[in-house]
Amino acid sequence: MNRVYRVSVNRSPVVVALYAWLLLITVISLLFGEGALAPVDSRTNVPIDGVHLSFPVWGSIMEPFTALFHIMGAVPAYKPGIGSILAWIMVIVLISSISTARKNGSTLFSTVFQTFRNAGLALLLLALYVAVGLTTHFPNWALEKDDAELVVADMHSHSLLSHDGIISAGKNLLLHEQRGYDVVAMTDHVNPQGLFDADRVKGEGGIPAVLSGIEVPVYYGAHYYLIGLGMSKDAPLPHGLLWREGTKSPMPPRLPMQYLWDVKGFISTIHHYHGVVITVALHLDANEVLKLADQGVDGFEYINSGHEPLPRTVRNAMLTVQRTKGIPLLASNDWHGWSGNLNAWTLVAPANSQNLMPGDTVLEALRHHDSAHIIPAVSFPVHPMSWFEIITAPFSATFLYAKTLSFWQLLFWWIWAGIFTLMVRSWPFRRISPVRFVMHLFILTAGVLELSDGVTMLLASYSSSLAPVLNLKISCIGVGIGLLLITFESRLLYAHFKEAPSDRLLQLLSPIMLTGLFRPKGQRGVA
């Protein structure tokens, strides 16, 4: 039986969709682009003068491949917003699959089968994309300031010494340096060893200053977390918790330790040794905000990009204590190494002419409750989302993404589109279409990245005696997935180009071969 090989470039739905997308983001960028992107004050959503965000040119080269993560980063609340984006992608896949099946004259059963098959492929590819994005630090915005005396701080950060951290303190600081931070607080869970780990690289070239810190859970009579910052290394921690000792797990022990519930005692001890106490933006309610303000905390996390936005009642309570007691509001990343998003900054302007080190500038502003000189900044507005905002999240996030594209990001979108178009026009391989090749290449690249990230985390686990079990598990999973993807996808691509038969096992284990997406019945050719 003769097979029909044909090339249809102009009518390709993939090519049409690609250029429709390019025209959309280009028009938005040209009409609504603001030049230099300014972060906003998270309390008012008003752009902040004297600072702006820049995107690295080298990062722009891979923009089409990292764009989905950047779009996800533009939603006001990441869980419902990202869920909405993924749901809309699935809806588009389903509609496209049904339309294609009907156009090919497929039966009802075949239409349903192809639709669910393509939906399954889309889910697999999205899951793989998200997995790679969570362990790979994609390029992102960096903050640049006009005033050299302004201090840019991340007041909440973790390393391998936290039970859920997957990055060493040294790499943590290096990435913060790339994103424009002057100060990083190492606040590992009930484990102050992170300070000593960070000290090994502190002072190298532009590495940010390190604030010693510890994050402590409050389980009894409350359900939130507190952070102690800025104590000297020889200061005894509350109720026997020592700087060079600690537990890897923040879960409450069978016999309650005092520091897990004596909030006032914890605050007074930290203050006695010239430290400051800030609250973590997690599980707080409005009454607890007012109570903690009376107990003497020095700052509230108004923004924590690692968790969902605070409810409006809690945000209003924090604004109230800032107005009445001067307690500063902060923006933190609560970064554990997952993904490369560091899109929250606490900006601290020196209150006087003293030539203080950046870390001391931050601590002095907190000790004196100098809220007038502290701004919690974010790249995009953050707030709880209404149902309307959730449903329309992909469209509003796409608008924000396109609006903030740099010249280089937009340029490389067009360059890659041109490369793909040329590839379609001159494609010589009959057994694999350009679209299918790109999808195979995506899976192969994901395998390489997963293997690289897994090996990196595995080496970090063995180099640190206190590395958490989670890091070892994630690294082993990454190595396993990476090896499988590289092995099967590389052999399938080889079989395609050599026009050799591939093993049935390979076909079953490859998402592309399993679903046969973009291969209409009785036809093989380019998309």
Side-chain angles (χ1 to χ4, degrees), residues 3 160 213 232 311 377 432-433 474:
R3 296 187 182 276
L160 281 173
S232 58
I432 180 172
S433 72
I474 296 297

Side-chain angles (χ1 to χ4, degrees), residues 150-359:
L150 183 69
V151 177
V152 182
D154 187 353
M155 306 301 296
H156 187 173
S157 184
H158 296 268
S159 74
L160 281 173
L161 301 183
S162 290
H163 71 287
D164 49 0
I166 62 168
I167 192 168
S168 68
K171 289 186 177 180
N172 179 316
L173 295 179
L174 287 172
L175 193 63
H176 273 89
E177 185 272 330
Q178 294 173 10
R179 302 295 170 80
Y181 292 87
D182 303 307
V183 175
V184 176
M186 300 301 299
T187 56
D188 285 308
H189 293 289
V190 199
N191 192 341
Q193 281 283 56
L195 169 67
F196 301 103
D197 205 25
D199 273 344
R200 299 192 186 108
V201 295
K202 186 174 65 174
E204 297 181 3
I207 295 298
V210 178
L211 287 180
S212 59
I214 184 171
E215 183 176 359
V216 173
V218 178
Y219 285 103
Y220 303 96
H223 53 283
Y224 49 79
Y225 293 77
L226 296 176
I227 290 177
L229 285 177
M231 302 81 70
S232 58
K233 292 182 185 179
D234 56 349
L237 291 175
H239 306 291
L241 187 64
L242 303 179
W243 279 111
R244 296 187 179 273
E245 297 177 5
T247 173
K248 296 180 186 178
S249 172
M251 298 303 294
R254 293 181 180 178
L255 298 176
M257 297 173 64
Q258 288 293 316
Y259 74 85
L260 290 174
W261 61 269
D262 188 359
V263 176
K264 194 170 184 178
F266 178 82
I267 294 174
S268 63
T269 303
I270 299 299
H271 283 170
H272 181 74
Y273 289 93
H274 311 292
V276 297
V277 178
I278 62 177
T279 65
V280 178
L282 180 65
H283 303 319
L284 284 172
D285 62 37
N287 291 330
E288 287 169 338
V289 170
L290 300 176
K291 184 177 179 180
L292 284 166
D294 291 335
Q295 290 177 323
V297 297
D298 304 292
F300 288 95
E301 275 188 351
Y302 191 73
I303 295 293
N304 181 314
S305 61
H307 296 284
E308 282 293 283
L310 290 167
R312 286 184 172 83
T313 54
V314 178
R315 293 159 73 95
N316 290 336
M318 289 183 178
L319 291 170
T320 297
V321 297
Q322 181 196 45
R323 184 176 63 254
T324 58
K325 298 179 179 295
I327 299 178
L329 304 185
L330 315 173
S332 303
N333 288 296
D334 194 2
W335 195 60
H336 293 68
W338 298 100
S339 84
N341 288 336
L342 292 171
N343 294 333
W345 305 267
T346 295
L347 308 180
V348 183
N352 49 52
S353 59
Q354 296 179 1
N355 294 321
L356 297 175
M357 298 297 290

Side-chain angles (χ1 to χ4, degrees), residues 93-120 515 517 521:
V93 170
L94 292 173
I95 293 174
S96 176
S97 299
I98 294 172
S99 175
T100 301
R102 288 186 174 181
K103 187 181 296 183
N104 294 331
S106 301
T107 63
L108 177 61
F109 174 80
S110 179
T111 299
V112 173
F113 176 76
Q114 291 180 43
T115 300
F116 279 95
R117 184 180 61 182
N118 294 345
T515 58
L517 188 63
K521 185 177 180 181

Side-chain angles (χ1 to χ4, degrees), residues 3 86 98-99 117-118 121 124 147 149 162 170 186 198 225 300 348-349 365 368 375 398 410 453 459 466 497 507 518:
R3 296 187 182 276
L86 298 181
I98 294 172
S99 175
R117 184 180 61 182
N118 294 345
L121 172 65
L124 283 172
D147 183 358
E149 294 186 354
S162 290
M186 300 301 299
Y225 293 77
F300 288 95
V348 183
H368 293 91
I375 300 175
T398 296
L410 193 59
D453 293 337
L459 293 175
L466 295 178
F497 288 122
Q507 296 181 21
F518 301 116

Side-chain angles (χ1 to χ4, degrees), residues 488 491-492 502-510 513-514:
F488 291 113
R491 290 187 63 182
L492 282 169
S502 56
D503 297 338
R504 183 61 178 168
L505 177 62
L506 294 179
Q507 296 181 21
L508 291 176
L509 291 177
S510 169
M513 296 296 291
L514 176 63

